[in-house]
Amino acid sequence: MAGTDPIHQFVIQDIFSLFTVGGDGTEGSGLHFAFTNSALFMVATVAIISLYLVLSTGSKSLIPNRAQLLSELVYEFVANMVRSAAGTAGMKFFPLVFSLFTFIFVANMLGMVPYFFTVTSHIIITFALSMLVFLTVVIYGFAKNGPKFLKLFVPAGVPGYILPIVAPIEFISFMSRPISLSVRLFGNILAGHITLKVFTGFIVTMSSLGFLGILGSALPLIMAIALTGLEFLVGAVQAYVFAVLTCMYLNDAIHPSH
Amino acid sequence: MVTQANAQEAAAPADTTHAAPAVDATHADPTADTHATTEAHGGGHESGVFPPFDPATFPSQLLWLAITFGALYLVMSKIALPRIGGILENRKAIIDADLAAADAARQKTDAAIAAYEAALAAAKAKAQGIANQTRETIQADLASKRSSVEADLTAKVTAAEARILATKTEALTHVDEIATETAQTVVTQLVGDVSTDSVRAAVAKAKE
């Protein structure tokens, strides 16, 4: 039954325990730290990105080979994204956006491999990443602009008597950014993987119902194949969306007046 | 219970009775299917909670996210991105330099062509000048030679004419003498001696 349980793929298992902070020593108390399957895939994600980018650019060829060309294309892609959304001043956040984009992208792609764990299917991961962006925006925004950063909530050209309505809306929309950013990524990946698992589960369930069931299981099979392609697309698009929104939020920190 | 077993497993990965507690757990609680399944795979710190919302897993996830993402950020910002940026800048610089060199070479070519054409025009002009000069020299030479020859000829003609005139004049003076002598002879034959002077005077008289 475990093979068709759509939730099972999100279970986090300890590979080995590290330490427990606080608690009374009994099981389940305190903060338990462990090297989990999630951690394993985070390490794998970072290792893949780092090794690929470092090794493919090792020769520093003037005329790139294929591996180096891919690295350069990703670099140019993210660099153009940052430059167009946040301007040249935003390029100081280029490593952050590049890390976010590649991390989410590779984690999503790894998650598409059967039996692999999807790091981004956990709300705490996406929320941590979006809080990283949010705090970067707030801290840098105040450090660079001081109180002028609050002009972010006062759109230029709005008459004074509307401001009591507009400013709270702007404030709420600003404060809800980390939630929308994290839930968008988490929800897309989680829902996609559950749907995929449910349809592939149908194949198994129907196949066990005899000859007609095997024939009928072609329908969820087709669906599963289509969903697999869609999930690759969603994984790539969500990484892109996360990076683009990060750039736009950073732009607010750099140029707070609308 | 099961979690306890898993912790023991984690501590001793080589444990050959790996699946045994899980199987036991499944059999022990067959009614709660999902619950048992989750347990059987040994993951849930708190079975029954939807895994992504299980707070017991948050510390580990946050810890490893911080470690891995921090490492990724460091590797990207310190090694990979400066290197790729360097490659791209280096390439751009080389392309720009090559383009500039090509432009400079083209300008040099243009200058060389212009210089060549100027030199050619100058040489042409010079050649024409020399040709003109030579022609003028030759013409002047010719003209002077012709004029000298003409002057010579004129002088010769003049001299000849003068000589002819002199000869004629001389001849004419001889006519008187011949006439005198002839008349003297004729008269002598006819009349006898007569003085030369009287004959001459007679001749001169006859001529008038």
Side-chain angles (χ1 to χ4, degrees):
Chain A
M1 286 307 289
T4 56
D5 174 17
I7 304 302
H8 172 67
Q9 58 181 321
F10 304 114
V11 171
I12 287 185
Q13 308 170 43
D14 292 1
I15 295 175
F16 55 83
S17 290
L18 289 174
F19 52 88
T20 304
V21 176
D24 49 10
T26 59
E27 192 62 38
S29 68
L31 297 175
H32 178 64
F33 290 93
F35 188 80
T36 60
N37 54 347
S38 173
L40 176 68
F41 280 94
M42 285 188 227
V43 171
T45 301
V46 169
I48 287 170
I49 300 166
S50 302
L51 287 178
Y52 184 84
L53 287 179
V54 169
L55 292 182
S56 71
T57 57
S59 60
K60 298 186 182 178
S61 314
L62 184 62
I63 299 160
N65 54 21
R66 289 181 192 186
Q68 188 183 325
L69 187 64
L70 182 61
S71 297
E72 289 176 12
L73 285 174
V74 177
Y75 180 98
E76 291 276 355
F77 176 69
V78 181
N80 287 337
M81 186 198 298
V82 176
R83 216 175 280 126
S84 63
T88 319
M91 285 307 279
K92 63 167 72 74
F93 295 107
F94 174 57
L96 175 67
V97 179
F98 190 90
S99 302
L100 283 170
F101 175 72
T102 50
F103 185 85
I104 297 170
F105 181 80
V106 173
N108 287 350
M109 291 302 123
L110 275 182
M112 287 307 295
V113 179
Y115 296 106
F116 277 25
F117 182 82
T118 315
V119 174
T120 46
S121 66
H122 277 249
I123 184 77
I124 188 71
I125 296 291
T126 62
F127 187 69
L129 291 176
S130 60
M131 278 311 286
L132 174 68
V133 173
F134 182 76
L135 291 177
T136 306
V137 168
V138 171
I139 292 169
Y140 181 79
F142 275 115
K144 182 171 179 286
N145 306 295
K148 281 184 185 170
F149 183 60
L150 295 173
K151 278 166 74 181
L152 188 64
F153 306 122
V154 185
V158 171
Y161 55 89
I162 302 184
L163 275 182
I165 307 167
V166 170
I169 293 174
E170 289 282 338
F171 182 73
I172 292 165
S173 106
F174 182 80
M175 294 311 283
S176 62
R177 277 173 180 182
I179 298 163
S180 68
L181 196 58
S182 58
V183 169
R184 183 182 300 113
L185 175 60
F186 159 72
N188 270 286
I189 301 303
L190 181 84
H193 279 258
I194 290 177
T195 318
L196 200 54
K197 190 79 177 188
V198 165
F199 275 97
T200 46
F202 281 164
I203 304 172
V204 178
T205 314
M206 289 175 80
S207 301
S208 63
L209 298 177
F211 180 68
L212 283 176
I214 291 172
L215 278 185
S217 69
L219 291 173
L221 176 64
I222 292 165
M223 200 65 192
I225 292 168
L227 279 173
T228 305
L230 180 72
E231 281 313 302
F232 275 110
L233 182 70
V234 167
V237 165
Q238 286 306 318
Y240 175 73
V241 165
F242 198 99
V244 164
L245 287 174
T246 300
C247 292
M248 290 170 65
Y249 297 163
L250 288 170
N251 185 44
D252 285 344
I254 300 162
H255 315 104
S257 49
H258 274 271
Chain B
M1 32 151 225
V2 172
T3 321
Q4 189 80 40
N6 282 318
Q8 284 167 0
E9 276 176 38
D15 192 355
T16 47
T17 60
H18 181 86
V23 172
D24 287 345
T26 312
H27 285 291
D29 193 8
T31 48
D33 195 34
T34 311
H35 181 84
T37 307
T38 314
E39 279 188 342
H41 289 270
H45 290 269
E46 289 176 29
S47 321
V49 179
F50 184 53
F53 296 135
D54 182 358
T57 66
F58 287 0
S60 300
Q61 293 201 65
L62 288 176
L63 172 72
W64 285 101
L65 179 68
I67 293 171
T68 53
F69 194 78
L72 178 68
Y73 183 81
L74 277 181
V75 172
M76 291 302 109
S77 61
K78 299 292 174 206
I79 303 171
L81 297 181
R83 188 189 278 181
I84 300 175
I87 292 170
L88 294 174
E89 265 172 33
N90 181 38
R91 182 178 304 146
K92 191 173 178 298
I94 288 175
I95 289 173
D96 286 351
D98 285 357
L99 282 177
D103 199 44
R106 198 171 49 81
Q107 280 176 357
K108 237 159 101 179
T109 313
D110 288 352
I113 288 171
Y116 162 75
E117 279 177 353
L120 192 65
K124 269 182 181 168
K126 204 174 159 191
Q128 204 154 21
I130 290 170
N132 283 341
Q133 207 180 355
T134 312
R135 193 162 55 228
E136 277 165 18
T137 314
I138 290 168
Q139 274 176 352
D141 195 28
L142 256 163
S144 72
K145 276 183 180 162
R146 194 169 58 207
S147 64
S148 72
V149 167
E150 275 173 359
D152 194 28
L153 284 174
T154 315
K156 279 181 180 166
V157 167
T158 316
E161 277 173 354
R163 211 164 50 242
I164 290 165
L165 191 66
T167 313
K168 201 168 128 189
T169 316
E170 200 186 317
L172 280 172
T173 58
H174 289 320
V175 167
D176 285 359
E177 218 144 308
I178 291 161
T180 310
E181 275 178 20
T182 309
Q184 194 178 7
T185 310
V186 168
V187 169
T188 309
Q189 291 289 323
L190 294 172
V191 204
D193 267 346
V194 74
S195 73
T196 310
D197 291 332
S198 59
V199 172
R200 195 168 287 161
V203 166
K205 206 174 173 186
K207 264 175 77 181
E208 287 165 6

